[in-house]
Amino acid sequence: MKTILEGDRIVIRHKKTDGRFSYTNLNKIRYLSDHKVITTMMIAYCEGKSYKSIISWINRVNSTLNALIEKTDINRLPETSNEWRIFIKNWYGITLTTSKLKAKIETRVSVWNKNIRPFLIFLQFRELIPIDVLVPPMGKVGEKIKSTSFKVSLIGETPPKRVEKNKDINNLIIPITLSRNDADYLDEIQFELERRRDKLYACLKNYWQAIKLHYEFGQKIFKSIDKEKLLSRINRKDVFDYNMRPGRVPPLRYHIAASNYKEGFNNCLFLLQEFGIGYSVAAYRHPAFPSKAISSYLLEGYDPFPECKIENVSEIPICNRINWCFGILCHRDISYITALLIMLNPKFTFESLLQSNISDKNGKTLLEITESGKTFSIEKMRAKSIKTEVLNDTSLEIISTITEMNVKNRKYADASIKDRLFLVLDRFGKKLVSPSHTRVSNWITGYDSSNSNAPYSGKCLMHFYPSLKEYGLIENTITHSKIRATEGVLEWFRTGSVRSASRRLGNSNRVALEHYIPKELIAAYNTRQIRRFQNLLITTATINENYLLEAVDFTTLNEGNCSYSIGKNRFLIA
């Protein structure tokens, strides 16, 4: 980040995740005679933060600070303690009242407590604000301050909470209802989670296998072409072959790069690679190609592509299948590949995986061989940590294949992003760029992030695998974060340990409990464990009594799901 003077305005330049630069106008700050001091501190405060966090923070601070400068008509930063107190007091009031900030009162309180106040405290640590100046927190709306610490209540008593009838928890690939808390519901949840997860995994893996098959198909074609002979004919403009027919009928003429027969299709693929990055309208305008579009040839019935296990393969545009042969992915492909990688490696989050690199800044590959096996490491920007996963065969195949693709194609990417794991062709078909977070996410969710109240009008995974509808995996039911949370919950089901689930997710126990494992599931699990203990205790006490079944509320001795042996008798205890 750096500040740039552009005429009579000051802008902050910061680098986006795709390597391009973004500029933020600081507006009124330029009127301060010592504006360099405050802008330098703003840059220092943002050091180490992600691009999204920087943009959000600057916009919130900038809107309120500009309103403060405009209203108080100051031309320099405060110097004395008293001046700073007045400055902070005015900023506090402006945050609550300014029309520059389009937000509710709750949001304004959050802006002060989470954005402005930490920055002012940061300035105190940097000795810009005197230490005797108080930077007050802003009280939450409706917050009551207790006049005494004494509270009359029973131990463990919690205040009742109203639960809406249709209130569901939707952070997994199935909704968790609050209207049920019986032990049987826990088993139903586990069964349905495993059922949907297995189906989703099969579809995602088949989609990846289709990409890999096309890529290997394309590489075989490129190796089979006599490059010198074909390019020599193109240079001589000898682009037609002739098929002689008996009699006085004129011979049939066909273009050597026409895609309606095997050899022509192979030549077309090779020439597309030779004269550009992949298939695009601009690349196909080269004189070496016929005037008829490649898609027109293929739509006439000729299908040169390998068979794949995509249920509705006709929904995949022909240009995408051609680019698979070159090892070029689109946003849809990256969406489904990242979902599969997250499912197999839950330590990887969607954002960190989308921005991951093949090698570090020193050129060292992040795909390594260790004592545990082959591992891949990514950086989690928000957590400021490196997460490493031991790869299984499918994950290793995905990362090694995409790495191979990038080695061939990264010459078309800018230097700042050439080591990225995921790259896509830009809309002009001229270079590779970083994928858009929103466009990648939309392809699996079927959800338009620009309008949370309307369904996404485009396509999602169900359009390519209609069988997902039978499993309830339709639009707006799948997200990358839900897939990751589901893996953590399934690990918790398998082991009964929050620690094991948090270890699989790469988070702390507190984070796993707070964000990934629904409290309702833990309550149902505890209820089942207590019920099992009670039944075990009652069974032990009434082992030889006639009223055993009545005491444990069983109809037969075969009921239950927890096996336990007592003496010579063996019972199934629920």
Side-chain angles (χ1 to χ4, degrees):
M1 293 179 62
K2 63 180 296 186
T3 55
I4 300 176
L5 288 173
E6 293 185 351
D8 61 343
R9 67 174 190 160
I10 302 174
V11 297
I12 287 185
R13 187 186 74 175
H14 34 83
K15 186 178 289 188
K16 300 169 68 174
T17 54
D18 59 4
R20 294 178 296 172
F21 288 106
S22 177
Y23 300 87
T24 302
N25 186 6
L26 297 183
N27 300 327
K28 304 291 182 181
I29 295 178
R30 70 180 184 275
Y31 294 126
L32 299 178
S33 59
D34 47 3
H35 59 78
K36 288 185 179 180
V37 176
I38 191 68
T39 54
T40 301
M41 290 298 178
M42 292 174 72
I43 293 173
Y45 183 77
C46 292
E47 187 175 351
K49 290 182 170 60
S50 66
Y51 167 73
K52 288 186 177 180
S53 298
I54 293 173
I55 289 293
S56 175
W57 181 83
I58 289 180
N59 288 338
R60 289 170 180 172
V61 171
N62 195 29
S63 60
T64 55
L65 184 55
N66 284 331
L68 173 65
I69 296 173
E70 184 176 0
K71 184 172 182 178
T72 58
D73 198 27
I74 60 174
N75 56 14
R76 61 172 177 82
L77 290 175
E79 294 179 353
T80 65
S81 296
N82 191 47
E83 288 179 348
W84 274 110
R85 291 190 187 99
I86 297 173
F87 180 84
I88 293 172
K89 178 183 176 181
N90 290 334
W91 200 348
Y92 186 102
I94 286 291
T95 304
L96 290 173
T97 59
T98 180
S99 60
K100 303 284 185 183
L101 190 63
K102 306 295 183 182
K104 298 178 181 178
I105 187 66
E106 292 87 352
T107 306
R108 293 170 184 264
V109 172
S110 179
V111 167
W112 175 267
N113 289 332
K114 296 181 179 180
N115 297 273
I116 302 174
R117 183 170 181 264
F119 177 60
L120 292 172
I121 294 175
F122 173 80
L123 297 182
Q124 276 190 322
F125 283 119
R126 293 298 182 99
E127 299 181 352
L128 183 62
I129 299 178
I131 198 65
D132 61 336
V133 176
L134 177 65
V135 184
M138 191 176 288
K140 296 180 181 178
V141 178
E143 184 179 20
K144 295 181 180 179
I145 301 175
K146 298 178 182 178
S147 58
T148 176
S149 62
F150 180 73
K151 181 180 178 183
V152 179
S153 64
L154 296 175
I155 297 176
E157 182 185 29
T158 56
K161 296 181 180 179
R162 180 182 294 275
V163 177
E164 302 294 336
K165 291 183 179 179
N166 298 323
K167 180 70 174 178
D168 290 335
I169 305 297
N170 289 308
N171 61 340
L172 303 178
I173 57 176
I174 62 172
I176 307 297
T177 180
L178 301 182
S179 60
R180 290 185 60 183
N181 58 3
D182 54 287
D184 292 337
Y185 183 58
L186 200 65
D187 295 328
E188 294 173 16
I189 288 293
Q190 182 177 3
F191 172 79
E192 189 63 21
L193 271 179
E194 291 175 345
R195 175 174 171 268
R196 293 194 185 188
R197 188 264 183 197
D198 291 343
K199 177 61 179 178
L200 182 59
Y201 172 75
C203 294
L204 292 173
K205 186 174 181 181
N206 287 339
Y207 191 92
W208 160 250
Q209 290 295 338
I211 294 176
K212 186 170 181 288
L213 279 173
H214 282 69
Y215 176 67
E216 293 174 344
F217 169 72
Q219 301 313 301
K220 289 180 181 178
I221 289 177
F222 301 145
K223 292 178 181 178
S224 67
I225 297 293
D226 187 339
K227 178 178 178 179
E228 294 183 0
K229 180 179 178 181
L230 180 59
L231 292 180
S232 176
R233 290 192 62 178
I234 296 298
N235 292 333
R236 298 196 312 268
K237 298 183 179 180
D238 178 17
V239 294
F240 291 100
D241 282 333
Y242 298 88
N243 187 9
M244 304 303 296
R245 296 185 292 179
R248 302 181 64 181
V249 180
L252 289 176
R253 188 181 76 163
Y254 51 93
H255 200 285
I256 61 173
S259 300
N260 56 350
Y261 67 104
K262 182 178 180 180
E263 186 179 350
F265 177 78
N266 293 354
N267 290 338
C268 180
L269 275 188
F270 178 83
L271 292 174
L272 282 171
Q273 185 190 50
E274 190 70 20
F275 299 133
I277 307 176
Y279 177 76
S280 65
V281 175
Y284 202 72
R285 288 172 181 165
H286 193 278
F289 297 103
S291 57
K292 191 173 183 179
I294 186 172
S295 57
S296 301
Y297 284 118
L298 299 181
L299 290 173
E300 290 175 356
Y302 177 66
D303 185 6
F305 299 109
E307 293 185 7
C308 58
K309 295 181 180 179
I310 298 178
E311 295 174 8
N312 200 359
V313 71
S314 60
E315 290 286 345
I316 305 290
I318 290 174
C319 60
N320 290 152
R321 299 185 72 180
I322 293 173
N323 282 335
W324 286 353
C325 299
F326 303 120
I328 296 175
L329 306 176
C330 65
H331 286 91
R332 179 187 60 252
D333 307 328
I334 295 174
S335 181
Y336 301 156
I337 291 172
T338 51
L340 181 57
L341 285 173
I342 290 171
M343 188 174 286
L344 297 172
N345 311 278
K347 286 183 182 178
F348 297 163
T349 62
F350 172 57
E351 291 81 4
S352 59
L353 195 56
L354 198 62
Q355 299 174 19
S356 60
N357 294 323
I358 298 172
S359 56
D360 61 17
K361 60 183 180 181
N362 299 317
K364 180 184 176 183
T365 178
L366 297 175
L367 181 62
E368 301 177 300
I369 300 176
T370 65
E371 295 179 355
S372 304
K374 292 188 177 180
T375 64
F376 186 69
S377 301
I378 64 173
E379 182 180 2
K380 295 176 74 171
M381 296 296 294
R382 290 178 62 185
K384 296 181 176 62
S385 63
I386 303 294
K387 295 297 180 181
T388 301
E389 280 272 27
V390 178
L391 305 178
N392 65 357
D393 292 340
T394 302
S395 300
L396 178 61
E397 178 185 83
I398 293 172
I399 293 177
S400 58
T401 303
I402 294 179
T403 301
E404 180 184 330
M405 294 175 179
N406 288 352
V407 168
K408 296 177 179 293
N409 299 320
R410 64 182 179 182
K411 60 184 177 181
Y412 300 109
D414 293 338
S416 58
I417 60 170
K418 67 177 182 180
D419 290 327
R420 288 285 178 88
L421 180 63
F422 294 111
L423 297 169
V424 295
L425 196 63
D426 72 346
R427 60 192 181 96
F428 302 108
K430 294 183 178 181
K431 65 177 183 177
L432 296 175
V433 297
S434 292
S436 163
H437 178 284
T438 304
R439 293 182 66 186
V440 171
S441 178
N442 281 347
W443 272 108
I444 196 167
T445 62
Y447 181 83
D448 187 358
S449 61
S450 63
N451 186 355
S452 59
N453 297 319
Y456 179 54
S457 59
K459 296 179 180 178
C460 64
L461 186 61
M462 189 195 69
H463 289 80
F464 308 103
Y465 291 94
S467 62
L468 286 173
K469 191 172 184 178
E470 301 174 8
Y471 291 76
L473 297 172
I474 57 176
E475 297 94 337
N476 305 324
T477 58
I478 311 172
T479 66
H480 293 89
S481 59
K482 285 184 180 181
I483 291 173
R484 183 166 178 259
T486 297
E487 292 301 313
V489 171
L490 286 175
E491 180 69 17
W492 175 70
F493 272 125
R494 284 189 289 266
T495 63
S497 169
V498 174
R499 180 175 295 179
S500 179
S502 62
R503 190 182 300 115
R504 178 155 174 75
L505 292 170
N507 294 115
S508 64
N509 294 349
R510 182 186 62 81
V511 172
L513 284 170
E514 186 175 347
H515 297 287
Y516 295 102
I517 305 177
K519 295 178 181 179
E520 291 70 28
L521 289 186
I522 295 177
Y525 179 82
N526 292 337
T527 301
R528 186 173 71 176
Q529 292 298 93
I530 293 172
R531 176 172 166 77
R532 286 179 174 177
F533 177 77
Q534 289 173 338
N535 285 334
L536 176 60
L537 185 63
I538 294 171
T539 303
T540 306
T542 61
I543 187 65
N544 294 318
E545 302 297 337
N546 295 329
Y547 54 84
L548 170 61
L549 291 180
E550 183 179 356
V552 295
D553 197 23
F554 288 161
T555 56
T556 68
L557 291 177
N558 291 324
E559 284 191 0
N561 53 18
C562 179
S563 182
Y564 189 78
S565 296
I566 303 177
K568 297 181 179 180
N569 301 312
R570 185 173 182 85
F571 300 92
L572 291 176
I573 312 300

